[in-house]
Short mmCIF file of all heavy atoms in Angstrom, two decimals:
data_model
loop_
_atom_site.label_atom_id
_atom_site.label_comp_id
_atom_site.label_asym_id
_atom_site.label_seq_id
_atom_site.Cartn_x
_atom_site.Cartn_y
_atom_site.Cartn_z
N ALA A 700 6.42 0.57 7.39
CA ALA A 700 5.34 -0.09 6.61
C ALA A 700 5.61 -1.54 6.42
O ALA A 700 4.69 -2.36 6.37
CB ALA A 700 5.22 0.61 5.25
N PHE A 701 6.90 -1.93 6.35
CA PHE A 701 7.21 -3.38 6.21
C PHE A 701 6.56 -4.15 7.36
O PHE A 701 5.89 -5.15 7.19
CB PHE A 701 8.72 -3.63 6.14
CG PHE A 701 9.03 -5.07 6.31
CD1 PHE A 701 8.90 -5.95 5.24
CD2 PHE A 701 9.39 -5.62 7.55
CE1 PHE A 701 9.16 -7.31 5.38
CE2 PHE A 701 9.61 -6.97 7.72
CZ PHE A 701 9.49 -7.80 6.65
N GLY A 702 6.83 -3.67 8.58
CA GLY A 702 6.27 -4.33 9.77
C GLY A 702 4.77 -4.32 9.76
O GLY A 702 4.14 -5.34 10.05
N ARG A 703 4.19 -3.20 9.44
CA ARG A 703 2.73 -3.09 9.44
C ARG A 703 2.07 -4.00 8.43
O ARG A 703 1.06 -4.60 8.67
CB ARG A 703 2.31 -1.65 9.18
CG ARG A 703 2.79 -0.71 10.29
CD ARG A 703 2.05 -0.93 11.61
NE ARG A 703 0.67 -0.54 11.51
CZ ARG A 703 -0.36 -1.18 12.10
NH1 ARG A 703 -0.12 -2.26 12.81
NH2 ARG A 703 -1.58 -0.74 11.97
N LEU A 704 2.71 -4.17 7.25
CA LEU A 704 2.12 -5.06 6.25
C LEU A 704 2.32 -6.51 6.61
O LEU A 704 1.48 -7.37 6.27
CB LEU A 704 2.75 -4.77 4.87
CG LEU A 704 2.23 -3.54 4.17
CD1 LEU A 704 2.98 -3.28 2.86
CD2 LEU A 704 0.69 -3.59 3.88
N ALA A 705 3.40 -6.80 7.33
CA ALA A 705 3.56 -8.21 7.77
C ALA A 705 2.49 -8.54 8.80
O ALA A 705 2.06 -9.68 8.92
CB ALA A 705 4.96 -8.41 8.33
N TRP A 706 2.08 -7.58 9.57
CA TRP A 706 1.03 -7.78 10.56
C TRP A 706 -0.36 -7.82 9.87
O TRP A 706 -1.13 -8.68 10.13
CB TRP A 706 1.06 -6.68 11.61
CG TRP A 706 0.01 -6.75 12.66
CD1 TRP A 706 -1.29 -6.38 12.54
CD2 TRP A 706 0.18 -7.29 13.97
NE1 TRP A 706 -1.97 -6.63 13.73
CE2 TRP A 706 -1.07 -7.18 14.63
CE3 TRP A 706 1.27 -7.83 14.71
CZ2 TRP A 706 -1.29 -7.61 15.96
CZ3 TRP A 706 1.05 -8.25 16.02
CH2 TRP A 706 -0.21 -8.13 16.61
N ALA A 707 -0.60 -6.88 9.01
CA ALA A 707 -1.91 -6.76 8.36
C ALA A 707 -1.71 -6.39 6.89
O ALA A 707 -1.76 -5.24 6.51
CB ALA A 707 -2.71 -5.65 9.06
N PRO A 708 -1.52 -7.43 6.04
CA PRO A 708 -1.12 -7.20 4.66
C PRO A 708 -2.17 -6.47 3.80
O PRO A 708 -1.85 -6.02 2.70
CB PRO A 708 -0.90 -8.60 4.09
CG PRO A 708 -1.00 -9.55 5.22
CD PRO A 708 -1.59 -8.84 6.39
N TRP A 709 -3.41 -6.39 4.28
CA TRP A 709 -4.44 -5.75 3.50
C TRP A 709 -4.53 -4.27 3.79
O TRP A 709 -5.41 -3.57 3.29
CB TRP A 709 -5.78 -6.43 3.76
CG TRP A 709 -6.05 -6.52 5.22
CD1 TRP A 709 -6.63 -5.54 6.01
CD2 TRP A 709 -5.69 -7.58 6.08
NE1 TRP A 709 -6.65 -5.98 7.31
CE2 TRP A 709 -6.08 -7.22 7.39
CE3 TRP A 709 -5.08 -8.83 5.90
CZ2 TRP A 709 -5.86 -8.04 8.50
CZ3 TRP A 709 -4.87 -9.66 7.02
CH2 TRP A 709 -5.28 -9.24 8.26
N THR A 710 -3.63 -3.73 4.60
CA THR A 710 -3.73 -2.32 4.95
C THR A 710 -3.37 -1.41 3.75
O THR A 710 -2.45 -1.69 3.02
CB THR A 710 -2.78 -1.98 6.13
OG1 THR A 710 -2.88 -3.05 7.06
CG2 THR A 710 -3.17 -0.71 6.83
N ASP A 711 -4.12 -0.31 3.65
CA ASP A 711 -3.89 0.64 2.60
C ASP A 711 -2.57 1.39 2.80
O ASP A 711 -2.35 1.95 3.91
CB ASP A 711 -5.07 1.65 2.64
CG ASP A 711 -4.91 2.76 1.66
OD1 ASP A 711 -4.00 2.71 0.81
OD2 ASP A 711 -5.74 3.72 1.71
N PRO A 712 -1.67 1.37 1.82
CA PRO A 712 -0.39 2.05 1.98
C PRO A 712 -0.52 3.50 2.39
O PRO A 712 0.32 4.02 3.17
CB PRO A 712 0.25 1.93 0.58
CG PRO A 712 -0.33 0.70 -0.01
CD PRO A 712 -1.76 0.66 0.53
N ALA A 713 -1.53 4.19 1.93
CA ALA A 713 -1.70 5.60 2.30
C ALA A 713 -2.04 5.72 3.77
O ALA A 713 -1.64 6.67 4.43
CB ALA A 713 -2.78 6.24 1.41
N ALA A 714 -2.79 4.75 4.29
CA ALA A 714 -3.15 4.77 5.71
C ALA A 714 -1.89 4.49 6.59
O ALA A 714 -1.72 5.10 7.62
CB ALA A 714 -4.24 3.74 5.99
N ILE A 715 -1.06 3.61 6.09
CA ILE A 715 0.18 3.35 6.82
C ILE A 715 1.06 4.58 6.81
O ILE A 715 1.66 4.95 7.85
CB ILE A 715 0.95 2.16 6.20
CG1 ILE A 715 0.14 0.88 6.26
CG2 ILE A 715 2.29 1.96 6.95
CD1 ILE A 715 0.80 -0.33 5.66
N LEU A 716 1.09 5.26 5.69
CA LEU A 716 1.87 6.51 5.63
C LEU A 716 1.31 7.51 6.62
O LEU A 716 2.10 8.20 7.32
CB LEU A 716 1.84 7.07 4.20
CG LEU A 716 2.72 8.28 3.96
CD1 LEU A 716 4.18 8.03 4.31
CD2 LEU A 716 2.63 8.76 2.49
N ASP A 717 0.00 7.59 6.73
CA ASP A 717 -0.59 8.49 7.74
C ASP A 717 -0.13 8.13 9.16
O ASP A 717 0.16 9.01 9.95
CB ASP A 717 -2.10 8.46 7.66
CG ASP A 717 -2.61 9.45 6.60
OD1 ASP A 717 -1.99 10.50 6.38
OD2 ASP A 717 -3.66 9.17 5.97
N GLU A 718 -0.13 6.84 9.44
CA GLU A 718 0.33 6.44 10.75
C GLU A 718 1.74 6.90 11.02
O GLU A 718 2.08 7.46 12.06
CB GLU A 718 0.33 4.89 10.88
CG GLU A 718 -1.02 4.28 11.01
CD GLU A 718 -0.92 2.72 11.10
OE1 GLU A 718 0.20 2.21 11.37
OE2 GLU A 718 -1.94 2.09 10.92
N TRP A 719 2.57 6.68 10.02
CA TRP A 719 4.00 7.06 10.14
C TRP A 719 4.11 8.58 10.29
O TRP A 719 4.91 9.05 11.15
CB TRP A 719 4.79 6.56 8.94
CG TRP A 719 6.24 6.99 8.99
CD1 TRP A 719 7.22 6.45 9.75
CD2 TRP A 719 6.83 8.05 8.26
NE1 TRP A 719 8.41 7.09 9.56
CE2 TRP A 719 8.20 8.11 8.65
CE3 TRP A 719 6.35 9.01 7.36
CZ2 TRP A 719 9.07 9.07 8.13
CZ3 TRP A 719 7.24 9.95 6.84
CH2 TRP A 719 8.59 9.97 7.24
N ILE A 720 3.35 9.30 9.54
CA ILE A 720 3.42 10.77 9.62
C ILE A 720 2.98 11.23 11.02
O ILE A 720 3.64 12.04 11.69
CB ILE A 720 2.50 11.43 8.56
CG1 ILE A 720 3.10 11.19 7.15
CG2 ILE A 720 2.35 12.92 8.82
CD1 ILE A 720 2.17 11.54 6.03
N ASP A 721 1.89 10.68 11.51
CA ASP A 721 1.39 11.09 12.85
C ASP A 721 2.35 10.73 13.94
O ASP A 721 2.52 11.52 14.91
CB ASP A 721 0.02 10.39 13.12
CG ASP A 721 -1.09 11.02 12.32
OD1 ASP A 721 -0.95 12.20 11.96
OD2 ASP A 721 -2.09 10.35 12.06
N LEU A 722 3.00 9.58 13.82
CA LEU A 722 3.95 9.16 14.89
C LEU A 722 5.24 9.98 14.82
O LEU A 722 5.86 10.23 15.82
CB LEU A 722 4.26 7.69 14.76
CG LEU A 722 3.13 6.72 15.12
CD1 LEU A 722 3.59 5.28 14.80
CD2 LEU A 722 2.80 6.80 16.62
N THR A 723 5.64 10.36 13.59
CA THR A 723 6.94 10.97 13.44
C THR A 723 6.85 12.50 13.60
O THR A 723 7.68 13.11 14.27
CB THR A 723 7.45 10.64 11.99
OG1 THR A 723 7.42 9.26 11.83
CG2 THR A 723 8.88 11.17 11.80
N PHE A 724 5.86 13.12 12.93
CA PHE A 724 5.73 14.56 13.00
C PHE A 724 4.60 14.95 13.96
O PHE A 724 3.52 15.34 13.57
CB PHE A 724 5.50 15.11 11.56
CG PHE A 724 6.64 14.79 10.62
CD1 PHE A 724 6.50 13.78 9.70
CD2 PHE A 724 7.82 15.50 10.71
CE1 PHE A 724 7.55 13.46 8.84
CE2 PHE A 724 8.90 15.18 9.84
CZ PHE A 724 8.74 14.17 8.90
N THR A 725 4.92 14.75 15.23
CA THR A 725 3.97 15.06 16.27
C THR A 725 3.75 16.57 16.35
O THR A 725 4.54 17.32 15.78
CB THR A 725 4.51 14.54 17.62
OG1 THR A 725 5.87 15.00 17.72
CG2 THR A 725 4.53 13.04 17.68
N PRO A 726 2.71 17.05 17.07
CA PRO A 726 2.41 18.48 17.02
C PRO A 726 3.62 19.36 17.35
O PRO A 726 3.76 20.42 16.76
CB PRO A 726 1.33 18.61 18.08
CG PRO A 726 0.63 17.29 18.02
CD PRO A 726 1.70 16.27 17.75
N SER A 727 4.50 18.95 18.25
CA SER A 727 5.60 19.85 18.56
C SER A 727 6.69 19.80 17.46
O SER A 727 7.58 20.65 17.38
CB SER A 727 6.22 19.57 19.92
OG SER A 727 6.92 18.34 19.88
N ALA A 728 6.60 18.80 16.58
CA ALA A 728 7.60 18.68 15.52
C ALA A 728 7.16 19.41 14.27
O ALA A 728 7.95 19.62 13.34
CB ALA A 728 7.87 17.21 15.18
N THR A 729 5.90 19.78 14.19
CA THR A 729 5.44 20.56 13.05
C THR A 729 4.26 21.47 13.44
O THR A 729 3.40 21.07 14.23
CB THR A 729 5.03 19.64 11.83
OG1 THR A 729 4.60 20.46 10.80
CG2 THR A 729 3.95 18.69 12.23
N ARG A 730 4.27 22.65 12.86
CA ARG A 730 3.21 23.60 13.21
C ARG A 730 1.91 23.21 12.47
O ARG A 730 0.82 23.49 12.96
CB ARG A 730 3.62 25.00 12.79
CG ARG A 730 4.67 25.63 13.69
CD ARG A 730 4.92 27.05 13.27
NE ARG A 730 5.74 27.13 12.08
CZ ARG A 730 5.30 27.59 10.90
NH1 ARG A 730 4.06 27.96 10.75
NH2 ARG A 730 6.11 27.66 9.86
N GLU A 731 2.04 22.64 11.32
CA GLU A 731 0.86 22.42 10.49
C GLU A 731 0.82 20.99 9.97
O GLU A 731 1.23 20.70 8.85
CB GLU A 731 0.84 23.37 9.30
CG GLU A 731 0.51 24.81 9.65
CD GLU A 731 0.50 25.67 8.39
OE1 GLU A 731 -0.37 25.45 7.53
OE2 GLU A 731 1.42 26.50 8.25
N THR A 732 0.35 20.13 10.82
CA THR A 732 0.38 18.71 10.48
C THR A 732 -0.34 18.46 9.18
O THR A 732 0.13 17.67 8.34
CB THR A 732 -0.31 17.91 11.60
OG1 THR A 732 0.23 18.32 12.84
CG2 THR A 732 -0.06 16.43 11.44
N GLU A 733 -1.54 19.05 8.97
CA GLU A 733 -2.33 18.69 7.81
C GLU A 733 -1.65 19.16 6.53
O GLU A 733 -1.70 18.41 5.52
CB GLU A 733 -3.74 19.26 7.94
CG GLU A 733 -4.57 18.55 9.00
CD GLU A 733 -4.40 17.00 8.94
OE1 GLU A 733 -4.55 16.39 7.87
OE2 GLU A 733 -4.10 16.40 10.00
N ARG A 734 -1.04 20.33 6.53
CA ARG A 734 -0.36 20.77 5.32
C ARG A 734 0.85 19.89 5.02
O ARG A 734 1.07 19.45 3.87
CB ARG A 734 0.07 22.22 5.45
CG ARG A 734 0.60 22.82 4.15
CD ARG A 734 0.29 24.30 4.05
NE ARG A 734 1.18 25.12 4.88
CZ ARG A 734 2.35 25.58 4.47
NH1 ARG A 734 2.78 25.32 3.24
NH2 ARG A 734 3.11 26.31 5.30
N LEU A 735 1.57 19.56 6.08
CA LEU A 735 2.71 18.67 5.92
C LEU A 735 2.27 17.31 5.38
O LEU A 735 2.85 16.72 4.46
CB LEU A 735 3.46 18.49 7.23
CG LEU A 735 4.68 17.55 7.18
CD1 LEU A 735 5.77 18.09 6.30
CD2 LEU A 735 5.22 17.36 8.60
N ARG A 736 1.17 16.80 5.95
CA ARG A 736 0.63 15.51 5.53
C ARG A 736 0.29 15.51 4.02
O ARG A 736 0.64 14.63 3.29
CB ARG A 736 -0.66 15.20 6.33
CG ARG A 736 -1.24 13.80 6.03
CD ARG A 736 -2.65 13.62 6.57
NE ARG A 736 -2.77 13.99 7.99
CZ ARG A 736 -2.30 13.28 8.99
NH1 ARG A 736 -1.71 12.15 8.76
NH2 ARG A 736 -2.46 13.68 10.23
N ARG A 737 -0.36 16.57 3.59
CA ARG A 737 -0.76 16.66 2.17
C ARG A 737 0.52 16.63 1.29
O ARG A 737 0.56 15.92 0.27
CB ARG A 737 -1.58 17.90 1.87
CG ARG A 737 -3.07 17.78 2.28
CD ARG A 737 -3.89 18.85 1.61
NE ARG A 737 -3.44 20.21 1.98
CZ ARG A 737 -3.79 20.85 3.08
NH1 ARG A 737 -4.57 20.27 3.97
NH2 ARG A 737 -3.37 22.10 3.31
N THR A 738 1.50 17.36 1.69
CA THR A 738 2.71 17.41 0.88
C THR A 738 3.40 16.05 0.85
O THR A 738 3.85 15.60 -0.19
CB THR A 738 3.68 18.51 1.44
OG1 THR A 738 2.99 19.73 1.40
CG2 THR A 738 4.94 18.57 0.67
N LEU A 739 3.49 15.43 2.01
CA LEU A 739 4.17 14.10 2.05
C LEU A 739 3.40 13.10 1.19
O LEU A 739 4.00 12.28 0.47
CB LEU A 739 4.28 13.59 3.50
CG LEU A 739 5.34 14.33 4.33
CD1 LEU A 739 5.24 13.98 5.79
CD2 LEU A 739 6.75 14.08 3.82
N HIS A 740 2.10 13.15 1.23
CA HIS A 740 1.33 12.23 0.34
C HIS A 740 1.59 12.56 -1.13
O HIS A 740 1.75 11.64 -1.92
CB HIS A 740 -0.18 12.31 0.63
CG HIS A 740 -0.58 11.48 1.82
ND1 HIS A 740 -0.64 10.09 1.73
CD2 HIS A 740 -0.91 11.79 3.09
CE1 HIS A 740 -1.03 9.60 2.91
NE2 HIS A 740 -1.19 10.62 3.75
N THR A 741 1.68 13.83 -1.46
CA THR A 741 1.89 14.18 -2.87
C THR A 741 3.27 13.66 -3.30
O THR A 741 3.45 13.16 -4.40
CB THR A 741 1.91 15.71 -3.00
OG1 THR A 741 0.73 16.20 -2.39
CG2 THR A 741 1.96 16.14 -4.46
#
Side-chain angles (χ1 to χ4, degrees):
F701 168 80
R703 296 292 290 142
L704 284 174
W706 179 280
W709 51 87
T710 318
D711 176 8
I715 299 178
L716 185 58
D717 274 328
E718 287 180 13
W719 177 77
I720 292 169
D721 285 335
L722 290 174
T723 307
F724 300 102
T725 48
S727 72
T729 179
R730 287 186 282 112
E731 287 182 67
T732 313
E733 289 316 309
R734 189 147 76 87
L735 179 64
R736 183 193 310 287
R737 279 197 302 278
T738 300
L739 287 170
H740 277 287
T741 310

